[in-house]
């Protein structure tokens, strides 16, 4: 009797904690990135959003977006573990006018925003660091490398960014395993 009650309560809790279907979760722009149609200066943005589902209670997903001067789109760099299941690298980059999209229902927050000459000087260094990322084809939720390891590693390679990821960026410490 007691065991049945405990199992029922745990099941109800887990069902209640589900965040729905990732396929229908919002991926709309949050409207917090400078529009490349308006902002002609170079821009660097780093975002964090709650991880999908119950993981969002304690962890975030982070990504980096860069836009050189006069570019019509940002290049977004992020690590997504499920890409490995498709035979693709975990590190992914793509072009978009909206780098601030919701992370499967979770609104992103800016971790870092840099506009102007300093951003223009650092963008090539960020791109170079992304090309040298040592775990581009690896993903392990804990301890890493994961989506938070990548921005942390770039921050170590480009210290002028002054990147300080949130405490909930679980896996960011893994970046310290490689200081090349």
């Amino acid at each position: 009797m007691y065991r049945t009650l405990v199992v029922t309560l745990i099941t109800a809790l887990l069902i209640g904690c589900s965040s729905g279907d990732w396929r229908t979760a919002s991926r709309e722009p949050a409207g917090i990135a400078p529009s490349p149609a308006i902002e002609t200066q170079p821009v660097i943005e780093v975002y964090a959003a709650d991880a999908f589902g119950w993981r969002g209670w304690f962890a975030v997903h982070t990504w980096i977006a860069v836009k050189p001067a006069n570019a019509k789109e940002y290049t977004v760099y992020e690590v997504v573990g499920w890409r490995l299941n498709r035979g693709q690298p975990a590190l992914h980059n793509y072009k978009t006018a909206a780098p601030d999209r919701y992370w499967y229902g979770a609104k992103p927050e800016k971790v870092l925003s840099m506009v102007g000459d300093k951003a223009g000087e650092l963008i090539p260094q960020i791109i170079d660091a992304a090309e040298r990322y040592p775990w581009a084809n690896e993903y392990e939720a804990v301890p890493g490398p994961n989506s938070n390891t990548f921005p942390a590693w770039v921050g170590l390679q480009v210290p002028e960014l002054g990147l300080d990821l949130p405490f909930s960026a679980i896996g960011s410490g893994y970046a310290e395993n490689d200081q090349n």
Side-chain angles (χ1 to χ4, degrees):
M1 170 80 170
Y2 177 73
R3 182 176 178 187
T4 303
L5 179 61
V6 170
V7 170
T8 302
L9 287 174
I10 290 173
T11 302
L13 179 64
L14 290 174
I15 291 171
C17 293
S18 69
S19 297
D21 187 351
W22 63 269
R23 292 172 289 213
T24 59
S26 177
R27 294 287 286 145
E28 293 297 314
I32 59 175
S35 169
I38 297 169
E39 181 58 73
T40 60
Q41 294 190 73
V43 179
I44 299 169
E45 302 264 284
V46 179
Y47 297 98
D50 289 345
F52 183 73
W54 59 269
R55 293 167 199 84
W57 289 357
F58 59 88
V60 294
H61 170 81
T62 56
W63 64 98
I64 299 174
V66 299
K67 183 194 80 63
N70 300 311
K72 303 292 185 214
E73 294 181 303
Y74 288 83
T75 300
V76 174
Y77 296 90
E78 66 184 335
V79 168
V80 182
W82 62 75
R83 289 176 49 83
L84 293 173
N85 297 335
R86 299 178 185 160
Q88 301 169 329
L91 177 58
H92 175 53
N93 70 73
Y94 60 92
K95 304 251 186 224
T96 181
D100 58 347
R101 291 171 42 185
Y102 275 64
W103 180 251
Y104 298 97
K107 184 176 182 178
E109 294 183 17
K110 286 186 186 184
V111 172
L112 180 137
S113 182
M114 188 180 296
V115 178
D117 293 338
K118 185 174 180 185
E121 293 170 14
L122 297 181
I123 287 172
Q125 294 177 49
I126 292 170
I127 293 168
D128 178 62
E131 291 172 357
R132 293 182 292 110
Y133 181 60
W135 303 288
N137 294 302
E138 299 177 46
Y139 185 92
E140 187 69 40
V142 177
N146 61 29
S147 66
N148 299 314
T149 307
F150 172 71
W153 192 84
V154 170
L156 291 169
Q157 304 309 300
V158 188
E160 299 86 356
L161 276 174
L163 181 58
D164 186 23
L165 293 175
F167 178 76
S168 55
I170 295 171
S172 59
Y174 193 89
E176 296 171 7
N177 290 334
D178 185 306
Q179 288 291 311
N180 294 328

